[in-house]
């Protein structure tokens, strides 16, 4: 299996690149942000809970997020692999993911990271707010909070994979196609 953690701060382009990677490598795309937003739209209990955190730029609690991710992954038992987009975002989530994949006799192949500087991120998120309709993109204070949460809680996840020599960083500024080619180059080294 090819199991990729696609990593990067809010606005790094994970969603855009995931769509291309999924198509090329025939993988299942699991975006925790997308799943939460679908639940909010469907007004489920999980959606209401997630919304109360997302609207403030905070992380949804680990226990809820991990359970949801596992049940989504289990919907695709015959998959050739997964792209985890927006997950794991905490050290606890990373440990849970390893444990979960081990029960399926597989593991994370690599973490691919989109590296984008903060100023570029802020401007991308402000632009995205005009079309996405996402409340968490519309308010600069919430954007700031998400960047802080990323630095404090999510950056340690990079070290987790780096210590296993699984971290591969790619410069995330440039054309969508050039960044995609850079990601594919990293994948081809592992295959
Ligand atoms: P972005 O990367 O642009 O912040 P996402 O769609 O990945 O957007 O996430 C939006 C929000 O959903 C996050 O700010 C957080 O509140 C929640 N969320 C997404 N993934 C996770 C996760 N793995 N753990 C906890 N909360 C999450």
């Amino acid at each position: 299996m090819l199991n990729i953690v696609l990593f990067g701060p809010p606005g790094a382009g994970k969603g855009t690149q995931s769509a291309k990677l999924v198509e090329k490598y025939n993988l299942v795309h699991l975006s925790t942000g997308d799943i939460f937003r679908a639940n909010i739209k469907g007004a489920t209990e999980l959606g209401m809970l997630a919304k109360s955190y997302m609207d403030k730029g905070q992380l949804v609690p680990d226990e809820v997020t991990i359970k949801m991710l596992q049940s989504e992954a289990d919907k695709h038992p015959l998959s050739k692999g997964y792209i985890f987009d927006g997950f794991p975002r905490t050290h606890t989530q990373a440990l849970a993911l390893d444990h979960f994949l081990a029960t399926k006799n597989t593991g994370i192949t690599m973490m691919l990271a989109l590296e984008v500087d903060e100023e570029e991120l802020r401007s991308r998120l402000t632009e995205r707010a005009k079309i996405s309709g996402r409340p968490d993109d519309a308010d600069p204070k919430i954007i700031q909070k998400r960047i802080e949460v990323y630095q404090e809680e999510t950056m340690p996840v990079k070290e987790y994979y780096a210590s296993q020599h699984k971290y591969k960083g790619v410069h995330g500024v440039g054309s969508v196609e050039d960044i995609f080619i850079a990601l594919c180059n990293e994948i081809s080294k592992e295959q």
Side-chain angles (χ1 to χ4, degrees):
M1 278 177 93
L2 176 63
N3 295 316
I4 296 172
V5 172
L6 193 61
F7 191 72
K14 299 186 294 287
T16 307
Q17 295 297 335
S18 289
K20 294 174 75 68
L21 291 167
V22 160
E23 199 188 356
K24 178 165 168 138
Y25 295 98
N26 211 353
L27 303 172
V28 170
H29 180 210
L30 294 176
S31 159
T32 41
D34 286 352
I35 303 166
F36 285 137
R37 279 184 289 275
N39 275 277
I40 292 172
K41 216 170 156 195
T44 68
E45 206 174 310
L46 172 66
M48 294 305 100
L49 176 78
K51 186 171 164 50
S52 66
Y53 293 92
M54 290 167 78
D55 283 355
K56 290 186 238 153
Q58 294 168 353
L59 294 183
V60 179
D62 280 337
E63 205 189 305
V64 178
T65 306
I66 290 164
K67 221 170 108 194
M68 176 191 81
L69 189 277
Q70 293 180 350
S71 76
E72 285 296 321
D74 280 337
K75 288 182 187 167
H76 308 274
L78 301 175
S79 135
K80 292 170 72 180
Y82 299 99
I83 293 196
F84 299 99
D85 165 2
F87 185 94
R89 252 176 160 98
T90 63
H91 184 70
T92 305
Q93 291 180 12
L95 291 174
L97 181 59
D98 273 353
H99 183 74
F100 174 69
L101 293 175
T103 66
K104 303 188 178 309
N105 295 316
T106 183
I108 289 298
T109 313
M110 63 201 300
M111 165 181 267
L112 282 173
L114 293 166
E115 295 169 343
V116 179
D117 62 85
E118 238 183 272
E119 206 179 316
E120 169 78 14
L121 292 174
R122 257 181 253 276
S123 93
R124 285 188 191 179
L125 290 173
T126 311
E127 278 306 303
R128 187 168 82 182
K130 294 178 191 161
I131 49 166
S132 72
R134 279 177 55 171
D136 59 344
D137 284 344
D139 180 343
K141 286 204 292 289
I142 310 249
I143 291 179
Q144 182 59 32
K145 176 73 186 165
R146 282 156 66 206
I147 292 174
E148 281 168 22
V149 167
Y150 177 77
Q151 282 162 350
E152 282 162 29
E153 300 189 52
T154 306
M155 280 300 271
V157 178
K158 168 180 170 176
E159 298 312 318
Y160 179 78
Y161 291 101
S163 69
Q164 300 171 40
H165 310 287
K166 288 183 177 174
Y167 178 88
K168 313 285 165 189
V170 161
H171 186 54
V173 183
S175 76
V176 168
E177 200 50 39
D178 284 349
I179 297 166
F180 179 59
I181 290 168
L183 292 171
C184 294
N185 279 340
E186 290 298 335
I187 294 172
S188 67
K189 289 181 202 163
E190 299 299 315
Q191 287 187 315

